[in-house]
Amino acid sequence: QVQLVESGGGLVQPGGSLRLSCAAASGSNFDINAMGWYRQVPGKQRELVASFTISGSRNYADSVKGRFTITRNNAKNTVYLQMSSLKPEDTAVYLCNARIWVGLYLNDYWGQGTQVTVST
């Protein structure tokens, strides 16, 4: 089993910045196939914010391009989301997602979510 541990959410004023972190950990050997961030607002569909694909390319939602940057530290099995120029509409629970090989099995894993609130 793999756990995704997120950190870095909070309350920030419009125009401010936050950095989210998500670390994958397990007692077993594993290989990360893809990893990224989604966000969820009550009553709305969960949406992809940013992700790394297996090839290493980055995908961003149109709404965050130019403001958010996803990076990773492969040695630490950690992905980061640097969020700048935050807007009230960025308020959501941000969830880390990873597609991970554990042995012969490829599974999706989700973090517990971290709240980001952009407000005055």
Side-chain angles (χ1 to χ4, degrees):
Q1 188 71 350
V2 177
Q3 287 187 326
L4 302 180
V5 180
E6 301 152 342
S7 62
L11 173 64
V12 64
Q13 292 187 343
S17 299
L18 281 175
R19 190 174 86 148
L20 306 182
S21 300
C22 174
S26 175
S28 304
N29 292 328
F30 62 94
D31 290 306
I32 297 174
N33 179 280
M35 203 164 180
W37 291 93
Y38 287 71
R39 63 188 180 188
Q40 180 87 59
V41 176
K44 292 189 176 181
Q45 194 169 7
R46 185 174 294 182
E47 66 168 346
L48 175 67
V49 177
S51 69
F52 277 105
T53 67
I54 187 174
S55 65
S57 62
R58 306 177 195 191
N59 294 322
Y60 293 97
D62 288 342
S63 59
V64 307
K65 284 180 181 176
R67 300 188 298 121
F68 291 11
T69 302
I70 189 169
T71 59
R72 64 186 177 183
N73 184 324
N74 290 335
K76 295 183 178 181
N77 294 312
T78 299
V79 66
Y80 306 94
L81 185 67
Q82 178 67 48
M83 304 184 293
S84 302
S85 302
L86 282 160
K87 305 175 181 180
E89 51 264 42
D90 294 317
T91 296
V93 174
Y94 284 70
L95 300 111
C96 180
N97 170 261
R99 182 159 290 183
I100 295 175
W101 286 101
V102 181
L104 299 177
Y105 300 98
L106 181 62
N107 292 313
D108 271 325
Y109 295 90
W110 291 91
Q112 78 281 3
T114 185
Q115 178 70 45
V116 171
T117 302
V118 185
S119 175
T120 56

